[in-house]
Amino acid sequence: MSNLSAQTTVPTTTSTTIVLPVSKAVLWLVGTAVLALLAYYFIGVDQGAYSIFGKDMHIHEFVHDARHFLGFPCH
Amino acid sequence: MERQLILRGLLAGGAGGLVAFVFARIFAEPQIQAAIDYESGRSAAQQTLDKAAGLPVEAAEPDLFSRTLQANVGIGLGMILFGIAMGALFAVAYTICLGRVGKLRPRTLAMLVAVGGFLGIYFVPFLKYPANPPAIGHEETIHDRGNLYLLMVFCSLVLLVGAVALGKRLTPRLGNWNATLLAIAAYVVVIGVLMAVLPSLGQLAANVQEYGRHATETPLPLTDDKGTIVYPGFDADRLYAFRLYSVGAQVLLWGVIGLVFGLLADRLLRPRTATPVASTV
Ligand SMILES: [Zn+2]
């Protein structure tokens, strides 16, 4: 099937065999990316520049130090 | 296959977040605490000035979580969750790149994707809008600052993908070396123009109006009505240390993700190569 850890001498055709088929893989990849971006949003952005739960500040305050240290504009 | 790669991305991300947290607990927390102390001292000095001038004085709001909790559990949870999220994005990028960006070993590709994540998500945006400790940042500009930061992250990532695509495109004509150099140069030029065009935080309208023209929102000395300094500006060395450690934590985070994922991906993908190449024909 695949030849991924292939040496440089391996022809391109064999080293590209793992290129994942669309449909099912795409669903997993997109789903994962969306969840990861949501986590990014809640850790770094929500209750700062934006807020989707109104004025509540619990997430912001809890991960406050991490938010500063990870480079997000905090408050 | 994609599910196994994603799982390994989450694992690698968790490991990276954990290492970055330990680093943050040791190196960043003292700086953060000192910045918070500076902030409290400054607002106390401000209150004294306001009182003397007969202005109304606002009482400080109580904290939702104690400093101890924030400085130990909160930062730990934040860093580890961030690591897992980055590990997940990393795995997605890795899976897409696999077999599509040239003939690379699983581990080499892992390190390259990790470098891309570090640069695209953190370091290039940091160059324009660096990490700031508490006490720096005006409340009234948080929306603009947030937008500008996210715009930088978005553009640096999109341009990075564009640079890789450009490099791939030029490779047949120019060879690997020259194509890579040209793609890097194109990235630097475009992102440089973008950085020059985007405003510095001190130049936001709200800041210019209230504080005059400055590059950043770093607190200046607090003066009374005669111009005498009653409280110093933010310590430059402390700011430098905080930012340096912030970069250090991200280097660790992405470095661990690349190393751990590379190792796991190598194991996952290698057994198949042990079977004769003939089977692929
Ligand atoms: Zn803050």
Side-chain angles (χ1 to χ4, degrees), chain A residues 1 4-5 10 15-16 18-20 24 28 32 36 43 49-50 58 61-62 65 68-71 75, chain B residues 3 6 28-29 65 67 70 74 82 95 98-100 103 106 132 143 145 147 245-246 249 269 273:
Chain A
M1 185 191 146
L4 276 169
S5 46
V10 172
S15 66
T16 51
I18 258 271
V19 174
L20 285 159
K24 232 183 131 191
W28 274 94
T32 305
I43 295 165
Y50 301 91
H58 281 84
E61 283 294 311
F62 196 66
D65 292 18
H68 276 278
F69 197 50
L70 291 167
H75 56 245
Chain B
R3 265 178 285 178
I6 289 166
E29 273 307 327
F65 299 102
R67 278 302 305 149
Q70 286 181 329
F82 183 82
T95 309
L98 204 54
R100 289 191 175 92
K103 291 155 283 183
N132 281 323
H143 200 75
R145 281 185 289 132
N147 285 341
Y245 295 148
S246 175
L269 301 166
T273 54

mmCIF file of all heavy atoms in Angstrom, chain A residues 1 4-5 10 15-16 18-20 24 28 32 36 43 49-50 58 61-62 65 68-71 75, chain B residues 3 6 28-29 65 67 70 74 82 95 98-100 103 106 132 143 145 147 245-246 249 269 273:
data_model
loop_
_atom_site.group_PDB
_atom_site.id
_atom_site.type_symbol
_atom_site.label_atom_id
_atom_site.label_comp_id
_atom_site.label_asym_id
_atom_site.label_seq_id
_atom_site.Cartn_x
_atom_site.Cartn_y
_atom_site.Cartn_z
ATOM 1 N N MET A 1 0.816 -1.203 0.000
ATOM 2 C CA MET A 1 0.000 0.000 0.000
ATOM 3 C C MET A 1 0.851 1.254 0.000
ATOM 4 O O MET A 1 0.928 1.998 -0.946
ATOM 5 C CB MET A 1 -0.904 -0.045 1.221
ATOM 6 C CG MET A 1 -1.871 1.081 1.274
ATOM 7 S SD MET A 1 -2.650 1.092 2.891
ATOM 8 C CE MET A 1 -2.868 2.815 3.123
ATOM 9 N N LEU A 4 5.766 5.316 2.853
ATOM 10 C CA LEU A 4 5.886 6.662 3.374
ATOM 11 C C LEU A 4 7.253 7.061 3.862
ATOM 12 O O LEU A 4 7.711 8.148 3.599
ATOM 13 C CB LEU A 4 4.911 6.816 4.496
ATOM 14 C CG LEU A 4 3.606 7.168 3.850
ATOM 15 C CD1 LEU A 4 2.531 7.074 4.844
ATOM 16 C CD2 LEU A 4 3.688 8.537 3.258
ATOM 17 N N SER A 5 7.881 6.177 4.602
ATOM 18 C CA SER A 5 9.193 6.560 5.082
ATOM 19 C C SER A 5 10.207 6.278 3.987
ATOM 20 O O SER A 5 11.333 5.898 4.223
ATOM 21 C CB SER A 5 9.523 5.800 6.363
ATOM 22 O OG SER A 5 9.216 4.449 6.212
ATOM 23 N N VAL A 10 13.027 6.632 -4.007
ATOM 24 C CA VAL A 10 11.767 5.989 -4.392
ATOM 25 C C VAL A 10 10.997 6.907 -5.345
ATOM 26 O O VAL A 10 10.875 8.097 -5.096
ATOM 27 C CB VAL A 10 10.924 5.702 -3.146
ATOM 28 C CG1 VAL A 10 9.547 5.209 -3.534
ATOM 29 C CG2 VAL A 10 11.634 4.671 -2.284
ATOM 30 N N SER A 15 5.530 7.066 -3.311
ATOM 31 C CA SER A 15 5.535 7.819 -2.066
ATOM 32 C C SER A 15 4.266 8.646 -1.892
ATOM 33 O O SER A 15 4.037 9.202 -0.837
ATOM 34 C CB SER A 15 6.756 8.716 -1.975
ATOM 35 O OG SER A 15 6.676 9.708 -2.960
ATOM 36 N N THR A 16 3.456 8.730 -2.889
ATOM 37 C CA THR A 16 2.224 9.497 -2.748
ATOM 38 C C THR A 16 1.009 8.598 -2.527
ATOM 39 O O THR A 16 -0.109 9.059 -2.485
ATOM 40 C CB THR A 16 1.941 10.352 -3.996
ATOM 41 O OG1 THR A 16 2.036 9.502 -5.129
ATOM 42 C CG2 THR A 16 2.892 11.496 -4.125
ATOM 43 N N ILE A 18 -0.227 7.267 0.019
ATOM 44 C CA ILE A 18 -1.045 7.421 1.231
ATOM 45 C C ILE A 18 -1.991 8.603 1.134
ATOM 46 O O ILE A 18 -2.858 8.744 1.960
ATOM 47 C CB ILE A 18 -0.142 7.496 2.484
ATOM 48 C CG1 ILE A 18 -0.169 6.138 3.187
ATOM 49 C CG2 ILE A 18 -0.579 8.543 3.455
ATOM 50 C CD1 ILE A 18 -1.214 5.943 4.195
ATOM 51 N N VAL A 19 -1.837 9.432 0.134
ATOM 52 C CA VAL A 19 -2.757 10.553 -0.049
ATOM 53 C C VAL A 19 -4.159 10.031 0.232
ATOM 54 O O VAL A 19 -4.656 9.145 -0.458
ATOM 55 C CB VAL A 19 -2.691 11.102 -1.488
ATOM 56 C CG1 VAL A 19 -3.751 12.150 -1.688
ATOM 57 C CG2 VAL A 19 -1.313 11.663 -1.758
ATOM 58 N N LEU A 20 -4.738 10.543 1.310
ATOM 59 C CA LEU A 20 -5.956 9.902 1.804
ATOM 60 C C LEU A 20 -7.157 10.168 0.906
ATOM 61 O O LEU A 20 -7.334 11.275 0.406
ATOM 62 C CB LEU A 20 -6.236 10.387 3.221
ATOM 63 C CG LEU A 20 -5.292 9.745 4.235
ATOM 64 C CD1 LEU A 20 -5.215 10.582 5.486
ATOM 65 C CD2 LEU A 20 -5.731 8.328 4.550
ATOM 66 N N LYS A 24 -14.649 10.193 3.694
ATOM 67 C CA LYS A 24 -14.571 9.832 5.105
ATOM 68 C C LYS A 24 -13.442 10.552 5.836
ATOM 69 O O LYS A 24 -13.628 11.061 6.930
ATOM 70 C CB LYS A 24 -14.383 8.319 5.222
ATOM 71 C CG LYS A 24 -15.414 7.697 6.151
ATOM 72 C CD LYS A 24 -15.172 6.220 6.301
ATOM 73 C CE LYS A 24 -15.168 5.824 7.773
ATOM 74 N NZ LYS A 24 -14.677 4.453 7.959
ATOM 75 N N TRP A 28 -13.511 13.505 9.157
ATOM 76 C CA TRP A 28 -12.711 13.465 10.385
ATOM 77 C C TRP A 28 -11.802 14.676 10.485
ATOM 78 O O TRP A 28 -11.660 15.274 11.552
ATOM 79 C CB TRP A 28 -11.873 12.184 10.417
ATOM 80 C CG TRP A 28 -12.644 11.047 10.997
ATOM 81 C CD1 TRP A 28 -13.358 10.116 10.304
ATOM 82 C CD2 TRP A 28 -12.816 10.747 12.379
ATOM 83 N NE1 TRP A 28 -13.964 9.250 11.176
ATOM 84 C CE2 TRP A 28 -13.648 9.608 12.457
ATOM 85 C CE3 TRP A 28 -12.347 11.330 13.567
ATOM 86 C CZ2 TRP A 28 -14.014 9.040 13.680
ATOM 87 C CZ3 TRP A 28 -12.711 10.760 14.772
ATOM 88 C CH2 TRP A 28 -13.538 9.625 14.826
ATOM 89 N N THR A 32 -12.245 17.518 13.331
ATOM 90 C CA THR A 32 -11.138 17.755 14.264
ATOM 91 C C THR A 32 -10.712 19.215 14.238
ATOM 92 O O THR A 32 -10.516 19.842 15.287
ATOM 93 C CB THR A 32 -9.927 16.873 13.889
ATOM 94 O OG1 THR A 32 -10.362 15.513 13.843
ATOM 95 C CG2 THR A 32 -8.823 17.011 14.911
ATOM 96 N N ALA A 36 -10.824 21.860 17.323
ATOM 97 C CA ALA A 36 -9.573 22.501 17.755
ATOM 98 C C ALA A 36 -9.715 24.022 17.725
ATOM 99 O O ALA A 36 -9.262 24.717 18.640
ATOM 100 C CB ALA A 36 -8.420 22.056 16.868
ATOM 101 N N ILE A 43 -10.161 29.302 24.783
ATOM 102 C CA ILE A 43 -8.997 29.566 25.620
ATOM 103 C C ILE A 43 -8.493 30.998 25.409
ATOM 104 O O ILE A 43 -8.162 31.694 26.349
ATOM 105 C CB ILE A 43 -7.857 28.566 25.316
ATOM 106 C CG1 ILE A 43 -8.289 27.149 25.694
ATOM 107 C CG2 ILE A 43 -6.584 28.949 26.074
ATOM 108 C CD1 ILE A 43 -7.403 26.070 25.122
ATOM 109 N N ALA A 49 -12.052 39.805 23.560
ATOM 110 C CA ALA A 49 -12.495 40.572 22.407
ATOM 111 C C ALA A 49 -13.962 40.263 22.078
ATOM 112 O O ALA A 49 -14.712 41.131 21.652
ATOM 113 C CB ALA A 49 -11.619 40.256 21.210
ATOM 114 N N TYR A 50 -14.370 39.025 22.286
ATOM 115 C CA TYR A 50 -15.751 38.616 22.016
ATOM 116 C C TYR A 50 -16.302 37.887 23.230
ATOM 117 O O TYR A 50 -15.553 37.476 24.106
ATOM 118 C CB TYR A 50 -15.813 37.673 20.814
ATOM 119 C CG TYR A 50 -15.263 38.292 19.573
ATOM 120 C CD1 TYR A 50 -13.923 38.141 19.244
ATOM 121 C CD2 TYR A 50 -16.074 39.063 18.746
ATOM 122 C CE1 TYR A 50 -13.394 38.724 18.118
ATOM 123 C CE2 TYR A 50 -15.568 39.650 17.624
ATOM 124 C CZ TYR A 50 -14.219 39.482 17.306
ATOM 125 O OH TYR A 50 -13.714 40.075 16.190
ATOM 126 N N HIS A 58 -15.872 33.634 33.695
ATOM 127 C CA HIS A 58 -15.241 32.518 34.395
ATOM 128 C C HIS A 58 -14.113 31.863 33.593
ATOM 129 O O HIS A 58 -13.059 31.569 34.142
ATOM 130 C CB HIS A 58 -16.293 31.482 34.814
ATOM 131 C CG HIS A 58 -17.029 31.889 36.047
ATOM 132 N ND1 HIS A 58 -18.121 32.735 36.008
ATOM 133 C CD2 HIS A 58 -16.809 31.603 37.353
ATOM 134 C CE1 HIS A 58 -18.541 32.937 37.244
ATOM 135 N NE2 HIS A 58 -17.773 32.259 38.087
ATOM 136 N N GLU A 61 -11.125 34.283 33.396
ATOM 137 C CA GLU A 61 -10.396 34.406 34.652
ATOM 138 C C GLU A 61 -9.641 33.133 34.995
ATOM 139 O O GLU A 61 -8.547 33.189 35.545
ATOM 140 C CB GLU A 61 -11.371 34.772 35.785
ATOM 141 C CG GLU A 61 -11.778 36.231 35.769
ATOM 142 C CD GLU A 61 -10.586 37.152 36.070
ATOM 143 O OE1 GLU A 61 -9.875 36.896 37.052
ATOM 144 O OE2 GLU A 61 -10.370 38.109 35.311
ATOM 145 N N PHE A 62 -10.235 31.991 34.669
ATOM 146 C CA PHE A 62 -9.584 30.737 35.044
ATOM 147 C C PHE A 62 -8.301 30.512 34.242
ATOM 148 O O PHE A 62 -7.274 30.162 34.794
ATOM 149 C CB PHE A 62 -10.545 29.561 34.877
ATOM 150 C CG PHE A 62 -10.061 28.329 35.596
ATOM 151 C CD1 PHE A 62 -9.983 28.309 36.983
ATOM 152 C CD2 PHE A 62 -9.680 27.201 34.897
ATOM 153 C CE1 PHE A 62 -9.525 27.184 37.662
ATOM 154 C CE2 PHE A 62 -9.215 26.073 35.564
ATOM 155 C CZ PHE A 62 -9.138 26.062 36.945
ATOM 156 N N ASP A 65 -3.841 33.476 33.089
ATOM 157 C CA ASP A 65 -2.381 33.519 32.962
ATOM 158 C C ASP A 65 -1.924 32.853 31.664
ATOM 159 O O ASP A 65 -1.015 33.342 30.986
ATOM 160 C CB ASP A 65 -1.726 32.827 34.162
ATOM 161 C CG ASP A 65 -1.941 33.616 35.449
ATOM 162 O OD1 ASP A 65 -2.853 34.467 35.469
ATOM 163 O OD2 ASP A 65 -1.215 33.374 36.430
ATOM 164 N N HIS A 68 -2.526 35.204 28.604
ATOM 165 C CA HIS A 68 -1.460 36.192 28.426
ATOM 166 C C HIS A 68 -0.212 35.529 27.845
ATOM 167 O O HIS A 68 0.403 36.031 26.907
ATOM 168 C CB HIS A 68 -1.090 36.823 29.774
ATOM 169 C CG HIS A 68 -1.984 37.948 30.169
ATOM 170 N ND1 HIS A 68 -1.815 39.219 29.701
ATOM 171 C CD2 HIS A 68 -3.054 37.991 30.983
ATOM 172 C CE1 HIS A 68 -2.746 40.012 30.216
ATOM 173 N NE2 HIS A 68 -3.515 39.287 31.004
ATOM 174 N N PHE A 69 0.152 34.409 28.445
ATOM 175 C CA PHE A 69 1.432 33.779 28.121
ATOM 176 C C PHE A 69 1.429 33.168 26.722
ATOM 177 O O PHE A 69 2.465 33.059 26.078
ATOM 178 C CB PHE A 69 1.737 32.698 29.173
ATOM 179 C CG PHE A 69 3.174 32.280 29.192
ATOM 180 C CD1 PHE A 69 4.183 33.223 29.250
ATOM 181 C CD2 PHE A 69 3.517 30.939 29.161
ATOM 182 C CE1 PHE A 69 5.512 32.838 29.280
ATOM 183 C CE2 PHE A 69 4.850 30.546 29.188
ATOM 184 C CZ PHE A 69 5.848 31.501 29.250
ATOM 185 N N LEU A 70 0.256 32.754 26.239
ATOM 186 C CA LEU A 70 0.159 32.174 24.903
ATOM 187 C C LEU A 70 0.094 33.252 23.824
ATOM 188 O O LEU A 70 0.036 32.944 22.641
ATOM 189 C CB LEU A 70 -1.073 31.267 24.810
ATOM 190 C CG LEU A 70 -0.993 29.970 25.647
ATOM 191 C CD1 LEU A 70 -2.359 29.307 25.733
ATOM 192 C CD2 LEU A 70 0.036 29.011 25.065
ATOM 193 N N GLY A 71 0.074 34.518 24.227
ATOM 194 C CA GLY A 71 0.171 35.605 23.267
ATOM 195 C C GLY A 71 -1.127 36.288 22.895
ATOM 196 O O GLY A 71 -1.129 37.176 22.051
ATOM 197 N N HIS A 75 -7.160 41.389 28.210
ATOM 198 C CA HIS A 75 -8.232 42.243 28.716
ATOM 199 C C HIS A 75 -7.962 43.697 28.360
ATOM 200 O O HIS A 75 -6.887 44.017 27.863
ATOM 201 C CB HIS A 75 -8.364 42.089 30.227
ATOM 202 C CG HIS A 75 -7.079 42.386 30.929
ATOM 203 N ND1 HIS A 75 -6.381 41.442 31.632
ATOM 204 C CD2 HIS A 75 -6.337 43.499 30.983
ATOM 205 C CE1 HIS A 75 -5.270 41.976 32.102
ATOM 206 N NE2 HIS A 75 -5.213 43.211 31.724
ATOM 207 N N ARG B 3 -7.823 8.636 11.508
ATOM 208 C CA ARG B 3 -8.199 8.637 12.919
ATOM 209 C C ARG B 3 -6.991 8.339 13.804
ATOM 210 O O ARG B 3 -6.824 8.944 14.852
ATOM 211 C CB ARG B 3 -9.302 7.603 13.174
ATOM 212 C CG ARG B 3 -10.678 8.231 13.115
ATOM 213 C CD ARG B 3 -11.750 7.197 13.326
ATOM 214 N NE ARG B 3 -11.919 6.374 12.131
ATOM 215 C CZ ARG B 3 -12.783 5.354 12.063
ATOM 216 N NH1 ARG B 3 -13.511 5.033 13.109
ATOM 217 N NH2 ARG B 3 -12.899 4.672 10.949
ATOM 218 N N ILE B 6 -4.914 11.460 13.980
ATOM 219 C CA ILE B 6 -5.504 12.491 14.837
ATOM 220 C C ILE B 6 -5.287 12.147 16.309
ATOM 221 O O ILE B 6 -4.896 13.004 17.110
ATOM 222 C CB ILE B 6 -7.010 12.652 14.529
ATOM 223 C CG1 ILE B 6 -7.196 13.321 13.164
ATOM 224 C CG2 ILE B 6 -7.699 13.485 15.605
ATOM 225 C CD1 ILE B 6 -8.598 13.242 12.617
ATOM 226 N N ALA B 28 7.326 31.765 33.830
ATOM 227 C CA ALA B 28 6.392 32.848 33.518
ATOM 228 C C ALA B 28 5.678 33.358 34.758
ATOM 229 O O ALA B 28 5.461 34.563 34.911
ATOM 230 C CB ALA B 28 5.368 32.389 32.495
ATOM 231 N N GLU B 29 5.306 32.458 35.665
ATOM 232 C CA GLU B 29 4.481 32.875 36.799
ATOM 233 C C GLU B 29 5.085 33.993 37.633
ATOM 234 O O GLU B 29 4.375 34.932 37.993
ATOM 235 C CB GLU B 29 4.088 31.671 37.654
ATOM 236 C CG GLU B 29 2.811 30.965 37.171
ATOM 237 C CD GLU B 29 1.628 31.892 37.001
ATOM 238 O OE1 GLU B 29 1.519 32.876 37.763
ATOM 239 O OE2 GLU B 29 0.805 31.663 36.103
ATOM 240 N N PHE B 65 -11.438 33.882 40.757
ATOM 241 C CA PHE B 65 -10.603 32.776 41.213
ATOM 242 C C PHE B 65 -9.397 33.355 41.927
ATOM 243 O O PHE B 65 -8.905 34.418 41.545
ATOM 244 C CB PHE B 65 -10.143 31.924 40.028
ATOM 245 C CG PHE B 65 -11.272 31.291 39.268
ATOM 246 C CD1 PHE B 65 -11.703 31.825 38.064
ATOM 247 C CD2 PHE B 65 -11.916 30.164 39.765
ATOM 248 C CE1 PHE B 65 -12.749 31.252 37.361
ATOM 249 C CE2 PHE B 65 -12.967 29.587 39.075
ATOM 250 C CZ PHE B 65 -13.384 30.126 37.874
ATOM 251 N N ARG B 67 -5.525 33.911 43.080
ATOM 252 C CA ARG B 67 -4.288 33.906 42.306
ATOM 253 C C ARG B 67 -3.624 32.529 42.337
ATOM 254 O O ARG B 67 -3.082 32.073 41.342
ATOM 255 C CB ARG B 67 -3.328 34.972 42.861
ATOM 256 C CG ARG B 67 -3.574 36.388 42.383
ATOM 257 C CD ARG B 67 -3.511 36.537 40.876
ATOM 258 N NE ARG B 67 -2.252 36.041 40.322
ATOM 259 C CZ ARG B 67 -2.125 35.511 39.109
ATOM 260 N NH1 ARG B 67 -3.178 35.388 38.324
ATOM 261 N NH2 ARG B 67 -0.964 35.092 38.676
ATOM 262 N N GLN B 70 -5.331 30.399 39.792
ATOM 263 C CA GLN B 70 -4.982 30.847 38.435
ATOM 264 C C GLN B 70 -3.549 30.468 38.066
ATOM 265 O O GLN B 70 -3.277 30.046 36.953
ATOM 266 C CB GLN B 70 -5.132 32.366 38.331
ATOM 267 C CG GLN B 70 -6.561 32.854 38.279
ATOM 268 C CD GLN B 70 -6.624 34.367 38.162
ATOM 269 O OE1 GLN B 70 -5.761 35.079 38.660
ATOM 270 N NE2 GLN B 70 -7.654 34.861 37.498
ATOM 271 N N GLY B 74 -5.184 26.941 36.732
ATOM 272 C CA GLY B 74 -5.704 27.652 35.569
ATOM 273 C C GLY B 74 -4.727 27.668 34.414
ATOM 274 O O GLY B 74 -5.072 27.316 33.278
ATOM 275 N N PHE B 82 -4.658 24.077 25.218
ATOM 276 C CA PHE B 82 -4.127 24.733 24.023
ATOM 277 C C PHE B 82 -3.210 23.771 23.264
ATOM 278 O O PHE B 82 -3.288 23.660 22.035
ATOM 279 C CB PHE B 82 -3.357 25.997 24.422
ATOM 280 C CG PHE B 82 -2.830 26.787 23.252
ATOM 281 C CD1 PHE B 82 -3.649 27.660 22.562
ATOM 282 C CD2 PHE B 82 -1.500 26.662 22.842
ATOM 283 C CE1 PHE B 82 -3.164 28.389 21.483
ATOM 284 C CE2 PHE B 82 -1.011 27.382 21.764
ATOM 285 C CZ PHE B 82 -1.846 28.252 21.087
ATOM 286 N N THR B 95 -1.796 15.188 8.081
ATOM 287 C CA THR B 95 -2.506 14.219 7.244
ATOM 288 C C THR B 95 -2.692 14.753 5.826
ATOM 289 O O THR B 95 -2.564 14.018 4.847
ATOM 290 C CB THR B 95 -3.882 13.901 7.867
ATOM 291 O OG1 THR B 95 -3.691 13.564 9.236
ATOM 292 C CG2 THR B 95 -4.549 12.744 7.152
ATOM 293 N N LEU B 98 0.735 14.749 4.053
ATOM 294 C CA LEU B 98 1.299 13.422 3.830
ATOM 295 C C LEU B 98 1.188 13.009 2.361
ATOM 296 O O LEU B 98 0.089 12.879 1.825
ATOM 297 C CB LEU B 98 0.538 12.424 4.711
ATOM 298 C CG LEU B 98 1.241 11.118 5.089
ATOM 299 C CD1 LEU B 98 2.594 11.393 5.718
ATOM 300 C CD2 LEU B 98 0.365 10.340 6.064
ATOM 301 N N GLY B 99 2.335 12.835 1.718
ATOM 302 C CA GLY B 99 2.337 12.402 0.323
ATOM 303 C C GLY B 99 2.056 13.510 -0.665
ATOM 304 O O GLY B 99 2.061 13.282 -1.866
ATOM 305 N N ARG B 100 1.802 14.720 -0.159
ATOM 306 C CA ARG B 100 1.456 15.799 -1.090
ATOM 307 C C ARG B 100 2.524 16.876 -1.173
ATOM 308 O O ARG B 100 2.462 17.738 -2.026
ATOM 309 C CB ARG B 100 0.135 16.465 -0.671
ATOM 310 C CG ARG B 100 -1.082 15.590 -0.905
ATOM 311 C CD ARG B 100 -2.367 16.384 -0.734
ATOM 312 N NE ARG B 100 -3.536 15.580 -1.072
ATOM 313 C CZ ARG B 100 -4.231 14.860 -0.192
ATOM 314 N NH1 ARG B 100 -3.878 14.866 1.069
ATOM 315 N NH2 ARG B 100 -5.269 14.152 -0.581
ATOM 316 N N LYS B 103 8.790 14.086 -1.212
ATOM 317 C CA LYS B 103 9.190 12.834 -0.586
ATOM 318 C C LYS B 103 9.885 13.096 0.732
ATOM 319 O O LYS B 103 11.078 13.359 0.778
ATOM 320 C CB LYS B 103 10.110 12.064 -1.541
ATOM 321 C CG LYS B 103 9.355 11.554 -2.760
ATOM 322 C CD LYS B 103 10.253 11.359 -3.949
ATOM 323 C CE LYS B 103 10.608 12.676 -4.623
ATOM 324 N NZ LYS B 103 11.422 12.517 -5.821
ATOM 325 N N PRO B 106 8.386 10.405 7.572
ATOM 326 C CA PRO B 106 7.346 10.814 8.523
ATOM 327 C C PRO B 106 7.860 11.783 9.579
ATOM 328 O O PRO B 106 7.182 12.752 9.934
ATOM 329 C CB PRO B 106 6.914 9.499 9.168
ATOM 330 C CG PRO B 106 7.187 8.466 8.137
ATOM 331 C CD PRO B 106 8.412 8.937 7.388
ATOM 332 N N ASN B 132 1.780 40.068 25.924
ATOM 333 C CA ASN B 132 1.931 41.047 26.985
ATOM 334 C C ASN B 132 1.510 40.461 28.324
ATOM 335 O O ASN B 132 0.525 39.735 28.395
ATOM 336 C CB ASN B 132 1.056 42.277 26.707
ATOM 337 C CG ASN B 132 1.694 43.195 25.697
ATOM 338 O OD1 ASN B 132 2.911 43.367 25.681
ATOM 339 N ND2 ASN B 132 0.875 43.774 24.838
ATOM 340 N N HIS B 143 -11.317 44.977 21.852
ATOM 341 C CA HIS B 143 -11.962 44.462 20.646
ATOM 342 C C HIS B 143 -11.058 44.648 19.419
ATOM 343 O O HIS B 143 -10.846 43.720 18.647
ATOM 344 C CB HIS B 143 -13.305 45.171 20.440
ATOM 345 C CG HIS B 143 -14.228 44.409 19.557
ATOM 346 N ND1 HIS B 143 -14.895 43.275 19.986
ATOM 347 C CD2 HIS B 143 -14.572 44.584 18.268
ATOM 348 C CE1 HIS B 143 -15.601 42.793 18.995
ATOM 349 N NE2 HIS B 143 -15.436 43.563 17.929
ATOM 350 N N ARG B 145 -7.788 45.154 19.450
ATOM 351 C CA ARG B 145 -6.575 44.358 19.621
ATOM 352 C C ARG B 145 -6.831 42.895 19.292
ATOM 353 O O ARG B 145 -6.018 42.247 18.635
ATOM 354 C CB ARG B 145 -6.049 44.486 21.057
ATOM 355 C CG ARG B 145 -5.296 45.777 21.294
ATOM 356 C CD ARG B 145 -4.695 45.800 22.682
ATOM 357 N NE ARG B 145 -5.708 45.959 23.720
ATOM 358 C CZ ARG B 145 -5.791 45.224 24.822
ATOM 359 N NH1 ARG B 145 -4.915 44.262 25.046
ATOM 360 N NH2 ARG B 145 -6.724 45.454 25.713
ATOM 361 N N ASN B 147 -9.177 41.682 17.304
ATOM 362 C CA ASN B 147 -9.365 41.546 15.856
ATOM 363 C C ASN B 147 -8.038 41.576 15.115
ATOM 364 O O ASN B 147 -7.788 40.765 14.221
ATOM 365 C CB ASN B 147 -10.254 42.675 15.325
ATOM 366 C CG ASN B 147 -11.709 42.449 15.676
ATOM 367 O OD1 ASN B 147 -12.100 41.316 15.996
ATOM 368 N ND2 ASN B 147 -12.494 43.495 15.644
ATOM 369 N N TYR B 245 10.182 34.341 27.521
ATOM 370 C CA TYR B 245 9.664 33.077 28.044
ATOM 371 C C TYR B 245 8.438 32.622 27.252
ATOM 372 O O TYR B 245 8.210 31.426 27.073
ATOM 373 C CB TYR B 245 9.307 33.213 29.523
ATOM 374 C CG TYR B 245 10.499 33.491 30.407
ATOM 375 C CD1 TYR B 245 10.379 34.255 31.563
ATOM 376 C CD2 TYR B 245 11.761 32.997 30.077
ATOM 377 C CE1 TYR B 245 11.474 34.518 32.378
ATOM 378 C CE2 TYR B 245 12.864 33.262 30.880
ATOM 379 C CZ TYR B 245 12.710 34.021 32.027
ATOM 380 O OH TYR B 245 13.790 34.282 32.815
ATOM 381 N N SER B 246 7.653 33.586 26.801
ATOM 382 C CA SER B 246 6.484 33.225 25.997
ATOM 383 C C SER B 246 6.916 32.522 24.711
ATOM 384 O O SER B 246 6.355 31.490 24.330
ATOM 385 C CB SER B 246 5.665 34.483 25.676
ATOM 386 O OG SER B 246 4.598 34.166 24.820
ATOM 387 N N ALA B 249 8.208 29.023 25.606
ATOM 388 C CA ALA B 249 7.143 28.041 25.849
ATOM 389 C C ALA B 249 6.588 27.510 24.532
ATOM 390 O O ALA B 249 6.300 26.316 24.398
ATOM 391 C CB ALA B 249 6.027 28.678 26.672
ATOM 392 N N LEU B 269 3.500 4.385 10.463
ATOM 393 C CA LEU B 269 3.614 4.315 9.009
ATOM 394 C C LEU B 269 4.728 3.383 8.539
ATOM 395 O O LEU B 269 4.738 2.954 7.405
ATOM 396 C CB LEU B 269 3.858 5.723 8.445
ATOM 397 C CG LEU B 269 2.768 6.753 8.779
ATOM 398 C CD1 LEU B 269 3.246 8.154 8.479
ATOM 399 C CD2 LEU B 269 1.500 6.450 8.013
ATOM 400 N N THR B 273 6.104 -0.086 5.167
ATOM 401 C CA THR B 273 7.227 0.014 4.229
ATOM 402 C C THR B 273 8.120 -1.211 4.334
ATOM 403 O O THR B 273 8.922 -1.461 3.458
ATOM 404 C CB THR B 273 8.076 1.268 4.507
ATOM 405 O OG1 THR B 273 8.450 1.241 5.874
ATOM 406 C CG2 THR B 273 7.317 2.514 4.174
#
